[in-house]
Amino acid sequence: MVEMGWGKRIGSLLTAMALTGMVAACGQVDSPQSTLSATTAQTNSSTDSVGPALTEDQLKLFNETMDQWQRKNDGTLVESMGPTLLEGSTMNVSSKGYHAGDAYEIGVWCMGHGSVKAKWILGDTLSYTTEVQCSPQIGAEDSIFTGDDAKESTMTHTAQDDTMAQVAYRIIKVEDYKSQSDS
């Protein structure tokens, strides 16, 4: 058995501490098992911080919030996306049919920090742009539009500045909608 001197023991201990600190500071080691998706749950169950993946609690909160919004607004789901990690921008093109005179409500949600610019384009004539302030508990924006005949819509989400967030949207057809001018 080889005896180490105190200097070597302290040096080995410091090296081990430094390596442990570097791994902890990096957060996650790249491996096939560490690949994340928007619906992957992390072991941290707090909803206070949002990283590349949502915790089980965050995903549950996100989905419950969207489902409550849809029930409250009594609509039929037309299209949706997310939650998904926003890295720069995302674009979703849908070939769902939209009809003139029908009312549609768009809901956009953002969980994390920063803000997200959302732009929805319906056919060639209608567009809607909003900026959603993200929050650890969920930021949201929504609006109602009467549609034009269109065979396609495009939703684009763009992260503003240093945003780190999960985003989602839903578009519902609003049943029995009465516009302000009809009242």
Side-chain angles (χ1 to χ4, degrees):
M1 178 174 184
V2 176
E3 295 254 346
M4 270 200 233
W6 281 107
K8 286 185 179 181
R9 287 182 187 164
I10 292 173
S12 295
L13 180 61
L14 291 174
T15 301
M17 288 172 51
L19 288 173
T20 302
M22 286 191 302
V23 170
C26 293
Q28 178 175 336
V29 177
D30 289 301
S31 69
Q33 291 88 10
S34 68
T35 303
L36 302 174
S37 69
T39 56
T40 302
Q42 297 284 351
T43 56
N44 176 6
S45 65
S46 169
T47 58
D48 292 337
S49 65
V50 175
L54 297 176
T55 65
E56 288 181 39
D57 289 344
Q58 290 169 328
L59 182 60
K60 182 178 177 185
L61 175 63
F62 218 123
N63 287 323
E64 285 175 354
T65 300
M66 293 187 301
D67 291 345
Q68 287 172 0
W69 172 84
Q70 188 171 334
R71 282 191 303 274
K72 176 187 78 141
N73 294 306
D74 189 29
T76 304
L77 185 64
V78 177
E79 65 179 87
S80 67
M81 180 206 74
T84 189
L85 177 64
L86 181 62
E87 297 179 286
S89 67
T90 64
M91 182 168 64
N92 189 45
V93 178
S94 171
S95 58
K96 303 286 184 184
Y98 288 84
H99 305 287
D102 287 346
Y104 299 94
E105 186 162 7
I106 302 169
V108 181
W109 296 270
C110 180
M111 180 183 273
H113 73 271
S115 64
V116 172
K117 184 177 181 181
K119 182 174 186 177
W120 182 61
I121 300 171
L122 178 61
D124 297 326
T125 59
L126 181 65
S127 71
Y128 163 71
T129 302
T130 189
E131 191 164 322
V132 182
Q133 295 300 313
C134 304
S135 128
Q137 296 299 317
I138 291 189
E141 291 288 333
D142 67 334
S143 192
I144 296 177
F145 296 91
T146 52
D148 290 334
D149 282 328
K151 295 179 183 174
E152 182 177 281
S153 75
T154 303
M155 176 64 85
T156 305
H157 293 101
T158 305
Q160 305 298 296
D161 302 319
D162 65 344
T163 296
M164 169 62 89
Q166 298 275 343
V167 296
Y169 80 93
R170 286 188 180 175
I171 299 174
I172 59 173
K173 179 180 173 192
V174 180
E175 308 299 332
D176 301 322
Y177 175 72
K178 301 281 188 221
S179 70
Q180 298 297 334
S181 61
D182 292 345
S183 301

